Amino acid sequence: MTAFDVWTDMPAYRAAIAELAPHVRPGRGVDAIRVVEGRGAWWDRLVDAAAFVVNEPDPASADVHERLALIAAPVVVVRRRLRPDVVADATDPAPSPRHVVVDAWGGRTDAATLLRDAVGWARVLAGAPLQVVARADTEVATTLALRTVGGTGASVTRVTGGGVGGALTATALGPRRIEVRVDSVSPLCEVAVDDERGRRTSPLRRESPERLALRRVVDALQAGVALGDLAELAADDGAYGASE
């Protein structure tokens, strides 16, 4: 069994390493998986490692994403409000909405990433990348009107106030009603589906985001497959950036 070295100083990832032993172990070097803090110019730190985990990245420009698209190593992007396992619950089977509504609220210090992640949930439930067609701003709120190439519309509202963190509710309206609730106060995300069979709620995902990220990057290294995390991040940053 091959054990992958993980290069990190973050306590939560060190705990995840212990949980996933003997598949991973603490280590450094160009053959390691490097965990990168997503604040500031995080993209400049994606060097000298076999794979990367980017923890809660700040929004990046289109020019930066063009550079990131050239990275050959697997990159897992950790966005706690947009977990891939919760996305899978919300999109199995694939939604076919007529409209998507996302309401988000949180502190001013995290306002940009909160809006970006709200756009991400709109993309997920709409089933395709979105373009901003209109925007309205007040001192405490931003509302975006978006649309896919196929014509599915989405409305995203972010309200900011004091404090930190954030929460959101994303709802796909169509033959089935899909509702996702995410709150930074709780690590558990809720997915509920309403259709002709009644209301069903997906089991809560209790795995830590750090453990999930390390599992995904190890699986990618072992299978030699590409990951779509950076492309999804680019799509959401692009829609958000286009509205700035």
Side-chain angles (χ1 to χ4, degrees):
M1 177 185 297
T2 301
F4 292 91
D5 291 339
V6 179
W7 177 0
T8 181
D9 296 322
M10 300 176 67
Y13 285 94
R14 289 190 173 275
I17 292 169
E19 292 175 3
L20 290 171
H23 301 285
V24 295
R25 63 192 180 194
R28 291 174 177 264
V30 295
D31 294 325
I33 299 166
R34 184 177 181 182
V35 179
V36 174
E37 175 57 55
R39 299 300 180 187
W42 54 268
W43 45 88
D44 288 336
R45 298 191 286 275
L46 300 190
V47 293
D48 298 331
F52 301 92
V53 173
V54 182
N55 187 70
E56 294 291 350
D58 286 341
S61 68
D63 290 343
V64 167
H65 280 294
E66 287 182 7
R67 290 163 46 196
L68 292 174
L70 301 177
I71 295 177
V75 180
V76 166
V77 177
V78 177
R79 299 162 69 181
R80 287 166 179 77
R81 287 184 288 254
L82 196 62
R83 293 174 53 123
D85 51 358
V86 178
V87 167
D89 291 337
T91 55
D92 184 22
S96 53
R98 295 188 176 92
H99 195 77
V100 176
V101 178
V102 185
D103 295 311
W105 54 98
R108 295 185 184 279
T109 57
D110 200 29
T113 53
L114 176 60
L115 181 58
R116 193 264 316 280
D117 291 348
V119 170
W121 268 113
R123 168 184 54 79
V124 165
L125 294 179
L130 296 152
Q131 296 292 326
V132 175
V133 296
R135 172 172 179 156
D137 291 287
T138 69
E139 291 185 1
V140 297
T142 294
T143 299
L144 305 178
L146 308 103
R147 188 170 297 277
T148 69
V149 172
T152 300
S155 303
V156 174
T157 300
R158 177 206 60 197
V159 177
T160 57
V164 296
L168 63 83
T169 299
T171 307
L173 303 172
R176 292 180 300 125
R177 184 179 189 273
I178 302 172
E179 184 176 85
V180 180
R181 292 181 177 272
V182 181
D183 192 333
S184 62
V185 175
S186 170
L188 305 179
C189 307
E190 300 178 3
V191 178
V193 178
D194 293 282
D195 57 18
E196 69 278 3
R197 293 184 291 165
R199 184 175 181 86
R200 303 182 305 284
T201 303
S202 299
L204 295 175
R205 298 287 189 168
R206 299 183 180 276
E207 184 176 24
S208 72
E210 296 81 10
R211 189 180 189 276
L212 174 61
L214 292 182
R215 275 202 310 108
R216 293 183 64 227
V217 75
V218 166
D219 288 347
L221 284 169
Q222 290 177 332
V225 298
L227 294 170
D229 293 34
L230 284 178
E232 293 170 356
L233 186 70
D236 299 339
D237 275 343
Y240 167 79
S243 67
E244 285 294 281

